[in-house]
Amino acid sequence: MSDKLKIGISIGDVNGIGLEVIIKTLSNPAILNYCTPIVYGHTKVSSFHRKANNLGDFSFHVINHANQAQVKKANMINCWEEDVKIELGQVTETGGKYALLSLERATADLVNGDIDALVTAPINKHNIQSETFKFPGHTEYLQEKSGSKDVLMFLISENLRVGVVTGHIPVKDVPTSITKEKILSKLKLINESLKKDFWIEKPKIAVLGLNPHASDNGLLGAEEAEIITPAIQEAYDKGIVCFGPYPADGFFGNGSYKQFDAVLAMYHDQGLIPFKTLAFHNGVNYTAGLNFVRTSPDHGTGYDIAGKDLADSTSFTEALFSAIHIVKNRREQEELLSNQLRGGGKVVETQFDIKDDAS
Ligand SMILES: NC(=O)C1=CN([C@@H]2O[C@H](COP(=O)(O)OP(=O)(O)OC[C@H]3O[C@@H](n4cnc5c(N)ncnc54)[C@H](O)[C@@H]3O)[C@@H](O)[C@H]2O)C=CC1
Ligand SMILES: NCC(=O)COP(=O)(O)O
């Protein structure tokens, strides 16, 4: 039996650049030395994208189930039988329907343990909505499938990691959604992920403020004094090495982020704008806190460049490698710890760990 990890890949919106970056990534034969990829989609849809983007004679090995995946091959599970109307660059119902069929089948295999990790190509969050998908994104969908109480949208690259307290919600709801408990929970998730998924022994985390200039001592808002600072203090007292709140505007431009292993931003664009500015092409979107591993490229469907052979596949390739590394890190750590401390092999370092261990 092969020790190569099986990495499931969902194809995302069939009218976007998902299959282009998937095929570009898997066309590099060296990738197959590191994992056994299994794409959930259809060979006819992939052929369409291969031809539209002039991607040579790449082909998939068709299988019916993940347990038939062949090493050294790019495997494909055909998830439907009918022909699919592809309208490159268009937002259509069809785009959402087949993105969901791919995601559902891949997620079922992930939850059952038939694949070791999932890399998702981008969906359009609007056209995928349906009776079975009423979520603002993969993050929330997979949280439900994992049964995790909380998860973290964690954007990662070699030199920068950014998590967000609030994710896919309207900006007007941000201030009321930020609570001390939520910040504590996200800090705990970042801390655990840095240790378990990235093997950083003593993580150091920066927390951004919400208001301009982190409120300038209360002149420009109360959230820093009433919510964010007490959350940082409590987390620190419980053993999480975190500092802040820092004014968000200069934090990235002046390079302060380089002194930390991760940054916690208060809302989506506060964290993702600097992240994508600094790391768009090699950035990865990782969902921390799931009981399985899911990554994705940090970009969206790229409708404006679909079918034009313009999509850069670096972010997708990085997402694939990040998934492999995280699974290996988690497993290696579990093995190393299996004889330590408690039966579950959990490191008891912070007060959070003690509380969790007791429950
Ligand atoms: N994880 C996911 O499924 C994500 C889905 N989306 C969805 O994607 C759709 C489009 O979102 P946008 O805001 O337009 O973001 P986008 O990332 O699709 O596009 C923004 C700009 O970046 C360019 N771009 C994106 N990926 C690229 C690549 N690999 N190589 C070269 N250029 C690239 C595009 O051509 C466009 O000009 C939305 O429906 C959004 O919800 C957005 C982000 C993540
Ligand atoms: N920009 C990040 C993002 O939209 C993440 O979406 P998803 O991974 O939750 O689908």
Side-chain angles (χ1 to χ4, degrees):
M1 204 174 114
S2 162
D3 60 351
K4 292 211 173 35
L5 297 180
K6 286 182 187 165
I7 308 293
I9 297 172
S10 58
I11 60 169
D13 193 309
V14 296
N15 296 325
I17 59 173
L19 268 159
E20 180 181 342
V21 294
I22 292 169
I23 294 170
K24 282 179 172 172
T25 296
L26 301 185
S27 293
N28 176 356
I31 296 284
L32 305 176
N33 294 331
Y34 297 96
C35 68
T36 302
I38 303 170
V39 178
Y40 293 77
H42 201 290
T43 39
K44 281 189 187 168
V45 175
S46 88
S47 288
F48 182 99
H49 284 267
R50 182 179 56 76
K51 287 177 194 153
N53 290 292
N54 291 316
L55 298 178
D57 60 359
F58 175 87
S59 66
F60 282 102
H61 172 69
V62 178
I63 56 174
N64 293 318
H65 190 276
N67 61 17
Q68 299 166 345
Q70 279 200 14
V71 290
K72 296 273 183 183
K73 293 236 156 79
N75 299 276
M76 168 79 83
I77 295 182
N78 284 337
C79 298
W80 51 81
E81 287 177 1
E82 65 276 20
D83 288 337
V84 175
K85 185 173 181 201
I86 299 173
E87 296 172 85
L88 291 172
Q90 302 301 309
V91 181
T92 65
E93 250 182 62
T94 303
K97 176 180 168 186
Y98 290 96
L100 183 55
L101 286 177
S102 164
L103 179 63
E104 285 179 331
R105 182 87 184 259
T107 304
D109 280 0
L110 182 67
V111 170
N112 285 336
D114 294 324
I115 52 178
D116 296 293
L118 172 64
V119 182
T120 59
I123 56 168
N124 175 310
K125 295 165 173 57
H126 180 70
N127 69 4
I128 198 169
Q129 299 300 319
S130 68
E131 274 314 304
T132 51
F133 193 100
K134 295 187 192 303
F135 302 90
H138 292 98
T139 306
E140 299 79 2
Y141 172 77
L142 292 168
Q143 175 178 358
E144 189 184 274
K145 296 292 172 195
S146 160
S148 301
K149 208 164 85 190
D150 195 12
V151 295
L152 175 79
M153 191 189 291
F154 204 16
L155 280 293
I156 57 172
S157 69
E158 200 178 335
N159 303 316
L160 175 62
R161 297 182 196 88
V162 179
V164 290
V165 177
T166 57
H168 290 132
I169 60 168
V171 169
K172 73 175 171 50
D173 298 336
V174 166
T176 49
S177 298
I178 292 175
T179 61
K180 186 174 144 191
E181 291 65 39
K182 202 173 266 178
I183 296 172
L184 279 167
S185 173
K186 302 295 180 187
L187 280 170
K188 188 181 162 205
L189 284 168
I190 292 192
N191 197 53
E192 279 176 358
S193 174
L194 291 171
K195 288 184 189 175
K196 186 174 67 173
D197 302 328
F198 300 96
W199 277 62
I200 297 172
E201 215 175 316
K202 293 276 174 212
K204 196 173 150 200
I205 305 164
V207 182
L208 300 181
L210 172 67
N211 294 294
H213 313 296
S215 91
D216 253 340
N217 289 323
L219 182 72
L220 305 174
E223 286 85 355
E224 281 75 8
E226 291 175 4
I227 300 168
I228 304 171
T229 302
I232 294 169
Q233 187 62 55
E234 188 170 329
Y236 194 91
D237 292 343
K238 287 180 170 163
I240 295 178
V241 183
C242 54
F243 302 94
Y246 295 103
D249 59 347
F251 190 81
F252 295 91
N254 70 12
S256 298
Y257 70 90
K258 291 178 189 159
Q259 296 168 35
F260 298 91
D261 297 299
V263 182
L264 181 62
M266 290 297 123
Y267 58 95
H268 184 279
D269 283 10
Q270 185 189 53
L272 269 64
I273 290 173
F275 181 87
K276 290 193 181 187
T277 304
L278 292 164
F280 188 63
H281 286 295
N282 60 357
V284 172
N285 172 17
Y286 169 50
T287 312
L290 299 171
N291 54 28
F292 40 72
V293 172
R294 175 264 174 161
T295 62
S296 78
D298 65 355
H299 58 76
T301 51
Y303 289 128
D304 54 332
I305 56 169
K308 298 179 181 164
D309 188 21
L310 291 175
D312 182 336
S313 56
T314 316
S315 174
F316 188 89
T317 308
E318 287 295 325
L320 188 66
F321 277 108
S322 298
I324 296 168
H325 283 138
I326 293 168
V327 172
K328 288 194 167 168
N329 282 348
R330 279 189 184 187
R331 290 188 183 167
E332 208 172 322
Q333 202 193 47
E334 273 162 25
E335 204 179 308
L336 281 172
L337 297 176
S338 58
N339 293 321
Q340 283 187 30
L341 298 170
R342 319 275 164 114
K346 192 167 191 298
V347 187
V348 178
E349 272 188 354
T350 72
Q351 281 189 44
F352 282 122
D353 299 328
I354 293 167
K355 190 166 151 272
D356 286 356
D357 206 49
S359 62

